[in-house]
Amino acid sequence: DAKTTQPTSMDCAEGRAANLPCNHSTISGNEYVYWYRQIHSQGPQYIIHGLKNNETNEMASLIITEDRKSSTLILPHATLRDTAVYYCIVRVALVLRGGSQGNLIFGKGTKLSVKP
Amino acid sequence: GAVVSQHPSRVICKSGTSVKIECRSLDFQATTMFWYRQFPKKSLMLMATSNEGSKATYEQGVEKDKFLINHASLTLSTLTVTSAHPEDSSFYICSARDSDRETYNEQFFGPGTRLTVL
């Protein structure tokens, strides 16, 4: 799976949009971009994923550049409960049944601190 | 839907004892489950891949005789830390892949188990 690069930490004011960047310049054609977050002392939580088109769900929006070498996760109105470590992971989406390929490899992520 | 539970959520044990951690998929079947370990202020590290009815696949550097994995049913995988030592103290997290959607590689995480070895 391709490696990703994220800033170590970011601050965001409560109620403002949080834009979290991720570089994945070695991404291959069959790899998706996934975002998870981990609130302190909890298991990771899935946020969103995409291949090449921008995606939006109830939690966030994902903007992927046309060359797919980078992406941005957008939390439109950050709240204090969004304070967490956000992980950008690139991996294949289609796997052989029972296979370990495509398992999640976590980098260091971005620690987002939402401040009042 | 897609809920994964872990038991216990927190455990304290004496050095030299063995500890079993359970990971259950509550509303779906999981042919494949994954076990991660996370030390304080560090990222999650994959320990092993657990496949129902077969031997687990361990990542490099993880001792299979120390971290015993059993995946006897489609909804349950267990991780046993044998002869635990203080350096095994960590946050252990499992994830499960939905068998009905396995080709789409969707994984769901448990809440984690905090192990403290005295």
Side-chain angles (χ1 to χ4, degrees):
Chain A
D1 292 327
K3 184 178 178 180
T4 62
T5 304
Q6 299 177 252
T8 303
S9 63
M10 292 181 64
D11 290 341
C12 177
E14 187 179 18
R16 305 296 291 268
N19 298 292
L20 293 91
C22 178
N23 287 321
H24 32 78
S25 58
T26 60
I27 191 171
S28 59
N30 65 342
E31 290 179 320
Y32 285 62
V33 180
Y34 286 78
W35 283 84
Y36 284 78
R37 73 179 181 183
Q38 186 179 25
I39 296 170
H40 183 63
S41 293
Q42 296 182 23
Q45 177 189 20
Y46 166 82
I47 301 174
I48 199 168
H49 77 280
L51 182 62
K52 55 182 178 180
N53 297 321
N54 297 338
E55 302 288 344
T56 296
N57 63 21
E58 65 278 4
M59 290 183 67
S61 294
L62 174 60
I63 308 298
I64 303 174
T65 57
E66 192 169 340
D67 63 7
R68 303 212 317 127
K69 292 184 177 182
S70 66
S71 60
T72 301
L73 179 74
I74 301 173
L75 307 179
H77 306 286
T79 70
L80 299 179
R81 289 178 294 180
D82 291 322
T83 292
V85 178
Y86 287 77
Y87 296 98
C88 169
I89 301 170
V90 174
R91 63 170 195 192
V92 297
L94 302 181
V95 299
L96 297 175
R97 188 174 182 83
S100 62
Q101 70 273 31
N103 54 28
L104 293 172
I105 305 298
F106 286 82
K108 296 182 179 180
T110 297
K111 181 173 174 54
L112 175 68
S113 299
V114 181
K115 300 180 183 301
Chain B
V3 177
V4 176
S5 70
Q6 283 185 240
H7 177 80
S9 58
R10 185 181 296 269
V11 58
I12 301 173
C13 70
K14 293 182 178 180
S15 184
T17 61
S18 294
V19 176
K20 180 185 285 188
I21 302 170
E22 294 184 348
C23 177
R24 292 182 185 272
S25 56
L26 298 186
D27 50 3
F28 65 97
Q29 293 184 331
T31 303
T32 305
M33 291 184 174
F34 301 92
W35 287 96
Y36 295 82
R37 179 169 54 182
Q38 186 175 34
F39 292 109
K41 298 186 178 181
K42 299 293 185 181
S43 188
L44 285 80
M45 295 296 295
L46 179 67
M47 299 176 66
T49 302
S50 169
N51 290 306
E52 186 266 338
S54 64
K55 292 182 179 181
T57 302
Y58 291 82
E59 294 300 302
Q60 192 172 14
V62 178
E63 300 175 58
K64 63 179 181 180
D65 294 331
K66 180 169 182 62
F67 298 100
L68 301 179
I69 291 173
N70 184 279
H71 193 157
S73 79
L74 288 173
T75 59
L76 173 65
S77 175
T78 61
L79 169 69
T80 301
V81 183
T82 62
S83 187
H85 291 284
E87 56 265 32
D88 297 323
S89 298
S90 188
F91 192 48
Y92 291 86
I93 306 169
C94 73
S95 72
R97 196 154 68 193
D98 188 337
S99 297
D100 288 341
R101 294 178 56 81
E102 190 159 281
T103 54
Y104 296 94
N105 205 10
E106 292 180 281
Q107 294 182 35
F108 306 97
F109 284 83
T113 296
R114 176 79 57 192
L115 171 63
T116 303
V117 184
L118 302 177

